[in-house]
Tab-separated table of all heavy atoms in Angstrom:
chain	number	residue	atom	x	y	z
A	1	PHE	N	-2.153	-2.303	-26.641
A	1	PHE	CA	-1.574	-1.980	-25.332
A	1	PHE	C	-0.028	-2.206	-25.406
A	1	PHE	O	0.725	-1.386	-24.875
A	1	PHE	CB	-2.177	-2.880	-24.250
A	1	PHE	CG	-3.344	-2.280	-23.594
A	1	PHE	CD1	-4.624	-2.393	-24.168
A	1	PHE	CD2	-3.307	-1.603	-22.362
A	1	PHE	CE1	-5.763	-1.867	-23.557
A	1	PHE	CE2	-4.430	-1.074	-21.754
A	1	PHE	CZ	-5.621	-1.219	-22.342
A	2	ALA	N	0.395	-3.307	-25.955
A	2	ALA	CA	1.832	-3.600	-26.079
A	2	ALA	C	2.561	-2.533	-26.901
A	2	ALA	O	3.644	-2.068	-26.540
A	2	ALA	CB	1.991	-4.995	-26.724
A	3	ARG	N	1.906	-2.093	-27.961
A	3	ARG	CA	2.495	-1.096	-28.867
A	3	ARG	C	2.784	0.214	-28.097
A	3	ARG	O	3.868	0.821	-28.211
A	3	ARG	CB	1.676	-0.846	-30.023
A	3	ARG	CG	2.360	0.078	-31.090
A	3	ARG	CD	1.342	0.638	-32.099
A	3	ARG	NE	0.361	-0.343	-32.455
A	3	ARG	CZ	-0.854	-0.019	-32.995
A	3	ARG	NH1	-1.175	1.274	-33.032
A	3	ARG	NH2	-1.702	-0.949	-33.311
A	4	HIS	N	1.822	0.633	-27.335
A	4	HIS	CA	1.919	1.981	-26.741
A	4	HIS	C	2.638	1.978	-25.391
A	4	HIS	O	3.003	3.048	-24.897
A	4	HIS	CB	0.532	2.606	-26.617
A	4	HIS	CG	-0.089	2.940	-27.911
A	4	HIS	ND1	0.498	3.818	-28.833
A	4	HIS	CD2	-1.296	2.514	-28.502
A	4	HIS	CE1	-0.250	3.907	-29.926
A	4	HIS	NE2	-1.328	3.153	-29.752
A	5	THR	N	2.775	0.852	-24.815
A	5	THR	CA	3.559	0.761	-23.488
A	5	THR	C	4.976	0.399	-23.713
A	5	THR	O	5.824	0.540	-22.790
A	5	THR	CB	2.913	-0.228	-22.514
A	5	THR	OG1	2.835	-1.521	-23.117
A	5	THR	CG2	1.485	0.217	-22.151
A	6	SER	N	5.320	-0.083	-24.856
A	6	SER	CA	6.690	-0.556	-25.128
A	6	SER	C	7.702	0.588	-25.021
A	6	SER	O	8.896	0.364	-24.735
A	6	SER	CB	6.791	-1.231	-26.510
A	6	SER	OG	6.448	-0.322	-27.521
A	7	GLY	N	7.255	1.794	-25.323
A	7	GLY	CA	8.223	2.889	-25.279
A	7	GLY	C	8.367	3.573	-23.941
A	7	GLY	O	9.169	4.528	-23.764
A	8	ILE	N	7.632	3.097	-22.931
A	8	ILE	CA	7.721	3.662	-21.583
A	8	ILE	C	8.947	3.080	-20.905
A	8	ILE	O	9.143	1.853	-20.788
A	8	ILE	CB	6.479	3.345	-20.753
A	8	ILE	CG1	5.230	4.051	-21.422
A	8	ILE	CG2	6.622	3.841	-19.325
A	8	ILE	CD1	3.947	3.713	-20.788
A	9	ASP	N	9.858	3.960	-20.434
A	9	ASP	CA	11.063	3.550	-19.742
A	9	ASP	C	10.702	3.177	-18.318
A	9	ASP	O	10.527	4.094	-17.484
A	9	ASP	CB	12.057	4.688	-19.802
A	9	ASP	CG	13.422	4.251	-19.202
A	9	ASP	OD1	13.531	3.100	-18.785
A	9	ASP	OD2	14.390	5.089	-19.244
A	10	THR	N	10.682	1.919	-18.021
A	10	THR	CA	10.294	1.543	-16.637
A	10	THR	C	11.422	1.721	-15.636
A	10	THR	O	11.222	1.546	-14.428
A	10	THR	CB	9.910	-0.016	-16.625
A	10	THR	OG1	10.950	-0.794	-17.181
A	10	THR	CG2	8.629	-0.194	-17.454
A	11	ALA	N	12.569	2.157	-16.116
A	11	ALA	CA	13.701	2.478	-15.213
A	11	ALA	C	13.583	3.870	-14.617
A	11	ALA	O	14.304	4.259	-13.675
A	11	ALA	CB	15.031	2.312	-15.929
A	12	LEU	N	12.650	4.666	-15.136
A	12	LEU	CA	12.454	6.007	-14.608
A	12	LEU	C	11.973	5.934	-13.144
A	12	LEU	O	11.323	4.985	-12.723
A	12	LEU	CB	11.428	6.783	-15.442
A	12	LEU	CG	11.869	7.161	-16.891
A	12	LEU	CD1	10.697	7.749	-17.639
A	12	LEU	CD2	13.019	8.169	-16.850
A	13	THR	N	12.214	7.056	-12.411
A	13	THR	CA	11.793	7.125	-11.043
A	13	THR	C	10.250	7.155	-10.992
A	13	THR	O	9.607	7.857	-11.661
A	13	THR	CB	12.333	8.423	-10.369
A	13	THR	OG1	13.744	8.397	-10.484
A	13	THR	CG2	11.934	8.501	-8.935
A	14	LEU	N	9.708	6.331	-10.105
A	14	LEU	CA	8.260	6.279	-9.898
A	14	LEU	C	7.821	7.483	-9.085
A	14	LEU	O	8.359	7.776	-8.007
A	14	LEU	CB	7.811	5.025	-9.221
A	14	LEU	CG	7.730	3.743	-10.122
A	14	LEU	CD1	7.465	2.496	-9.233
A	14	LEU	CD2	6.630	3.871	-11.176
A	15	ARG	N	6.704	8.112	-9.497
A	15	ARG	CA	6.083	9.159	-8.698
A	15	ARG	C	5.434	8.589	-7.485
A	15	ARG	O	4.784	7.542	-7.588
A	15	ARG	CB	5.090	9.957	-9.539
A	15	ARG	CG	5.736	11.025	-10.393
A	15	ARG	CD	4.637	11.956	-10.908
A	15	ARG	NE	5.207	13.147	-11.583
A	15	ARG	CZ	4.580	14.138	-12.131
A	15	ARG	NH1	3.209	14.109	-12.006
A	15	ARG	NH2	5.100	15.125	-12.671
A	16	GLU	N	5.506	9.201	-6.362
A	16	GLU	CA	4.852	8.821	-5.160
A	16	GLU	C	3.500	9.419	-5.020
A	16	GLU	O	3.187	10.350	-5.692
A	16	GLU	CB	5.744	9.122	-3.957
A	16	GLU	CG	7.120	8.371	-4.024
A	16	GLU	CD	7.955	8.647	-2.741
A	16	GLU	OE1	7.535	9.525	-1.921
A	16	GLU	OE2	9.010	8.026	-2.598
A	17	GLY	N	2.739	8.897	-4.058
A	17	GLY	CA	1.427	9.466	-3.757
A	17	GLY	C	0.348	8.646	-4.409
A	17	GLY	O	0.493	8.100	-5.453
A	18	GLU	N	-0.856	8.624	-3.742
A	18	GLU	CA	-2.011	7.911	-4.291
A	18	GLU	C	-2.785	8.758	-5.267
A	18	GLU	O	-2.869	9.978	-5.151
A	18	GLU	CB	-2.893	7.472	-3.108
A	18	GLU	CG	-2.265	6.426	-2.212
A	18	GLU	CD	-3.255	5.923	-1.172
A	18	GLU	OE1	-4.171	6.626	-0.814
A	18	GLU	OE2	-3.093	4.727	-0.713
A	19	LEU	N	-3.328	8.044	-6.229
A	19	LEU	CA	-4.220	8.657	-7.276
A	19	LEU	C	-5.535	7.925	-7.212
A	19	LEU	O	-5.608	6.822	-6.663
A	19	LEU	CB	-3.581	8.591	-8.632
A	19	LEU	CG	-2.417	9.464	-8.957
A	19	LEU	CD1	-1.993	9.340	-10.425
A	19	LEU	CD2	-2.747	10.976	-8.655
A	20	PRO	N	-6.555	8.476	-7.876
A	20	PRO	CA	-7.844	7.779	-7.926
A	20	PRO	C	-7.639	6.358	-8.507
A	20	PRO	O	-7.116	6.214	-9.560
A	20	PRO	CB	-8.668	8.659	-8.869
A	20	PRO	CG	-8.110	9.999	-8.664
A	20	PRO	CD	-6.627	9.816	-8.505
A	21	GLY	N	-8.147	5.354	-7.793
A	21	GLY	CA	-8.026	3.978	-8.252
A	21	GLY	C	-6.861	3.218	-7.676
A	21	GLY	O	-6.845	2.001	-7.704
A	22	THR	N	-5.849	3.948	-7.116
A	22	THR	CA	-4.690	3.249	-6.592
A	22	THR	C	-4.919	2.726	-5.187
A	22	THR	O	-4.406	1.718	-4.773
A	22	THR	CB	-3.430	4.159	-6.596
A	22	THR	OG1	-3.700	5.289	-5.793
A	22	THR	CG2	-3.099	4.609	-7.987
A	23	ARG	N	-5.789	3.397	-4.395
A	23	ARG	CA	-6.003	2.983	-3.008
A	23	ARG	C	-6.670	1.561	-3.020
A	23	ARG	O	-6.430	0.734	-2.142
A	23	ARG	CB	-6.920	3.969	-2.366
A	23	ARG	CG	-7.175	3.640	-0.866
A	23	ARG	CD	-8.175	4.662	-0.267
A	23	ARG	NE	-7.646	5.983	-0.325
A	23	ARG	CZ	-6.888	6.494	0.677
A	23	ARG	NH1	-6.640	5.801	1.789
A	23	ARG	NH2	-6.419	7.754	0.615
A	24	SER	N	-7.588	1.283	-3.988
A	24	SER	CA	-8.298	0.088	-4.017
A	24	SER	C	-7.387	-1.144	-4.279
A	24	SER	O	-7.832	-2.282	-4.156
A	24	SER	CB	-9.399	0.088	-5.125
A	24	SER	OG	-8.889	0.313	-6.367
A	25	GLN	N	-6.129	-0.915	-4.720
A	25	GLN	CA	-5.234	-1.974	-5.011
A	25	GLN	C	-4.625	-2.627	-3.699
A	25	GLN	O	-4.107	-3.678	-3.778
A	25	GLN	CB	-4.095	-1.493	-5.921
A	25	GLN	CG	-4.543	-1.022	-7.250
A	25	GLN	CD	-3.332	-0.731	-8.083
A	25	GLN	OE1	-2.816	-1.573	-8.846
A	25	GLN	NE2	-2.747	0.452	-8.020
A	26	ARG	N	-4.767	-1.937	-2.570
A	26	ARG	CA	-4.220	-2.424	-1.362
A	26	ARG	C	-4.937	-3.698	-0.969
A	26	ARG	O	-6.145	-3.738	-0.895
A	26	ARG	CB	-4.286	-1.391	-0.273
A	26	ARG	CG	-3.475	-0.165	-0.604
A	26	ARG	CD	-3.674	0.880	0.500
A	26	ARG	NE	-3.181	0.468	1.779
A	26	ARG	CZ	-3.468	1.069	2.925
A	26	ARG	NH1	-4.312	2.065	2.930
A	26	ARG	NH2	-3.020	0.605	4.072
A	27	THR	N	-4.204	-4.764	-0.628
A	27	THR	CA	-4.807	-6.004	-0.212
A	27	THR	C	-5.191	-5.854	1.262
A	27	THR	O	-4.817	-4.970	1.965
A	27	THR	CB	-3.845	-7.132	-0.409
A	27	THR	OG1	-2.669	-6.913	0.476
A	27	THR	CG2	-3.405	-7.233	-1.828
A	28	VAL	N	-5.972	-6.847	1.692
A	28	VAL	CA	-6.342	-6.898	3.144
A	28	VAL	C	-5.121	-6.969	4.010
A	28	VAL	O	-5.015	-6.377	5.066
A	28	VAL	CB	-7.272	-8.115	3.412
A	28	VAL	CG1	-7.560	-8.210	4.887
A	28	VAL	CG2	-8.565	-7.955	2.601
A	29	GLU	N	-4.133	-7.717	3.582
A	29	GLU	CA	-2.863	-7.880	4.307
A	29	GLU	C	-2.143	-6.540	4.473
A	29	GLU	O	-1.582	-6.210	5.496
A	29	GLU	CB	-1.922	-8.903	3.684
A	29	GLU	CG	-2.438	-10.338	3.824
A	29	GLU	CD	-3.568	-10.672	2.843
A	29	GLU	OE1	-3.800	-9.882	1.901
A	29	GLU	OE2	-4.182	-11.711	3.005
A	30	ASP	N	-2.188	-5.748	3.372
A	30	ASP	CA	-1.551	-4.430	3.398
A	30	ASP	C	-2.214	-3.511	4.367
A	30	ASP	O	-1.565	-2.706	5.023
A	30	ASP	CB	-1.595	-3.755	1.962
A	30	ASP	CG	-0.711	-4.544	0.989
A	30	ASP	OD1	0.233	-5.182	1.430
A	30	ASP	OD2	-1.014	-4.491	-0.220
A	31	MET	N	-3.569	-3.556	4.494
A	31	MET	CA	-4.287	-2.642	5.311
A	31	MET	C	-4.304	-3.043	6.781
A	31	MET	O	-4.556	-2.251	7.666
A	31	MET	CB	-5.748	-2.544	4.799
A	31	MET	CG	-5.834	-1.893	3.459
A	31	MET	SD	-7.530	-1.605	2.892
A	31	MET	CE	-7.991	-3.227	2.347
A	32	MET	N	-3.977	-4.333	7.080
A	32	MET	CA	-4.003	-4.773	8.429
A	32	MET	C	-2.735	-4.282	9.148
A	32	MET	O	-1.650	-4.259	8.578
A	32	MET	CB	-3.975	-6.333	8.503
A	32	MET	CG	-5.292	-6.929	8.096
A	32	MET	SD	-5.239	-8.742	8.157
A	32	MET	CE	-4.886	-9.061	9.865
A	33	VAL	N	-2.889	-3.739	10.346
A	33	VAL	CA	-1.780	-3.275	11.182
A	33	VAL	C	-1.184	-4.480	11.922
A	33	VAL	O	-1.866	-5.142	12.723
A	33	VAL	CB	-2.215	-2.224	12.156
A	33	VAL	CG1	-1.018	-1.765	12.993
A	33	VAL	CG2	-2.880	-1.082	11.439
A	34	ARG	N	0.012	-4.784	11.583
A	34	ARG	CA	0.686	-5.895	12.264
A	34	ARG	C	1.157	-5.469	13.672
A	34	ARG	O	1.798	-4.440	13.832
A	34	ARG	CB	1.896	-6.352	11.425
A	34	ARG	CG	1.504	-6.857	10.028
A	34	ARG	CD	2.665	-7.411	9.292
A	34	ARG	NE	2.338	-7.811	7.953
A	34	ARG	CZ	1.847	-9.039	7.696
A	34	ARG	NH1	1.617	-9.870	8.643
A	34	ARG	NH2	1.520	-9.341	6.448
A	35	ARG	N	0.782	-6.297	14.663
A	35	ARG	CA	1.139	-5.955	16.014
A	35	ARG	C	1.981	-7.099	16.609
A	35	ARG	O	1.770	-8.289	16.259
A	35	ARG	CB	-0.107	-5.749	16.892
A	35	ARG	CG	-0.996	-4.638	16.370
A	35	ARG	CD	-2.161	-4.478	17.333
A	35	ARG	NE	-3.153	-3.550	16.756
A	35	ARG	CZ	-3.051	-2.237	16.817
A	35	ARG	NH1	-2.000	-1.685	17.407
A	35	ARG	NH2	-3.964	-1.446	16.260
A	36	LYS	N	2.818	-6.782	17.579
A	36	LYS	CA	3.569	-7.781	18.304
A	36	LYS	C	2.637	-8.443	19.300
A	36	LYS	O	1.679	-7.863	19.767
A	36	LYS	CB	4.755	-7.164	18.979
A	36	LYS	CG	5.807	-6.601	18.084
A	36	LYS	CD	6.961	-5.996	18.861
A	36	LYS	CE	8.022	-5.419	17.903
A	36	LYS	NZ	9.121	-4.821	18.667
A	37	LYS	N	2.939	-9.693	19.636
A	37	LYS	CA	2.173	-10.394	20.650
A	37	LYS	C	2.137	-9.662	21.922
A	37	LYS	O	3.212	-9.239	22.476
A	37	LYS	CB	2.751	-11.769	20.872
A	37	LYS	CG	1.920	-12.668	21.783
A	37	LYS	CD	2.500	-14.050	21.944
A	37	LYS	CE	1.656	-14.946	22.797
A	37	LYS	NZ	2.199	-16.236	22.919
A	38	GLY	N	0.990	-9.382	22.493
A	38	GLY	CA	0.854	-8.673	23.724
A	38	GLY	C	0.533	-7.209	23.560
A	38	GLY	O	0.125	-6.517	24.512
A	39	ASP	N	0.662	-6.626	22.305
A	39	ASP	CA	0.361	-5.254	22.105
A	39	ASP	C	-1.151	-5.085	22.130
A	39	ASP	O	-1.931	-5.962	21.700
A	39	ASP	CB	0.877	-4.826	20.708
A	39	ASP	CG	2.376	-4.596	20.738
A	39	ASP	OD1	2.996	-4.662	21.831
A	39	ASP	OD2	2.925	-4.343	19.671
A	40	LEU	N	-1.624	-3.894	22.598
A	40	LEU	CA	-3.036	-3.605	22.689
A	40	LEU	C	-3.411	-2.635	21.531
A	40	LEU	O	-2.549	-1.897	21.054
A	40	LEU	CB	-3.397	-2.958	24.000
A	40	LEU	CG	-3.191	-3.772	25.267
A	40	LEU	CD1	-3.446	-2.992	26.513
A	40	LEU	CD2	-4.119	-5.069	25.220
A	41	PRO	N	-4.638	-2.670	21.058
A	41	PRO	CA	-5.084	-1.729	20.044
A	41	PRO	C	-4.926	-0.285	20.518
A	41	PRO	O	-4.928	-0.026	21.696
A	41	PRO	CB	-6.592	-2.141	19.833
A	41	PRO	CG	-6.686	-3.507	20.356
A	41	PRO	CD	-5.650	-3.619	21.474
A	42	SER	N	-4.886	0.560	19.541
A	42	SER	CA	-4.731	2.009	19.835
A	42	SER	C	-5.876	2.493	20.660
A	42	SER	O	-7.065	2.192	20.390
A	42	SER	CB	-4.635	2.805	18.498
A	42	SER	OG	-4.645	4.204	18.777
A	43	GLY	N	-5.598	3.298	21.681
A	43	GLY	CA	-6.661	3.902	22.524
A	43	GLY	C	-6.947	3.083	23.775
A	43	GLY	O	-7.674	3.491	24.641
A	44	ILE	N	-6.360	1.819	23.888
A	44	ILE	CA	-6.573	1.007	25.068
A	44	ILE	C	-5.240	0.937	25.817
A	44	ILE	O	-4.252	0.612	25.261
A	44	ILE	CB	-7.056	-0.393	24.654
A	44	ILE	CG1	-8.364	-0.269	23.926
A	44	ILE	CG2	-7.203	-1.297	25.850
A	44	ILE	CD1	-8.923	-1.611	23.426
A	45	THR	N	-5.345	1.116	27.122
A	45	THR	CA	-4.124	1.082	27.965
A	45	THR	C	-4.189	-0.139	28.911
A	45	THR	O	-5.303	-0.497	29.351
A	45	THR	CB	-3.895	2.367	28.737
A	45	THR	OG1	-5.119	2.600	29.537
A	45	THR	CG2	-3.720	3.547	27.826
A	46	ARG	N	-3.062	-0.615	29.297
A	46	ARG	CA	-3.013	-1.765	30.228
A	46	ARG	C	-2.982	-1.253	31.648
A	46	ARG	O	-2.218	-0.309	31.966
A	46	ARG	CB	-1.782	-2.600	29.919
A	46	ARG	CG	-1.786	-3.961	30.642
A	46	ARG	CD	-0.506	-4.728	30.317
A	46	ARG	NE	-0.402	-4.985	28.926
A	46	ARG	CZ	-0.992	-5.991	28.319
A	46	ARG	NH1	-1.738	-6.844	29.015
A	46	ARG	NH2	-0.810	-6.198	27.036
A	47	VAL	N	-3.750	-1.785	32.491
A	47	VAL	CA	-3.848	-1.369	33.907
A	47	VAL	C	-3.046	-2.443	34.761
A	47	VAL	O	-3.301	-3.593	34.604
A	47	VAL	CB	-5.262	-1.244	34.449
A	47	VAL	CG1	-5.267	-0.861	35.899
A	47	VAL	CG2	-5.986	-0.162	33.610
């Protein structure tokens, strides 16, 4: 692995977009929607 990755230039621009297997790398914290105190979930309105 070290031999074949040593020649990869990590300074190159990273391609964007998800590929098979990349979505599963997201942690629970990444997937959670952070809300401010007092905000309501989507679809619920305050009366």
Side-chain angles (χ1 to χ4, degrees):
F1 270 82
R3 186 197 321 156
H4 292 303
T5 58
S6 62
I8 297 175
D9 185 359
T10 54
L12 291 173
T13 302
L14 280 173
R15 276 193 173 183
E16 297 181 354
E18 292 187 334
L19 286 184
T22 59
R23 184 184 298 271
S24 61
Q25 295 188 93
R26 298 175 64 194
T27 62
V28 174
E29 289 76 13
D30 293 333
M31 292 184 283
M32 289 177 63
V33 178
R34 298 184 182 275
R35 302 182 188 278
K36 294 180 181 179
K37 185 177 180 180
D39 285 353
L40 295 176
S42 176
I44 299 178
T45 57
R46 190 182 300 277
V47 178

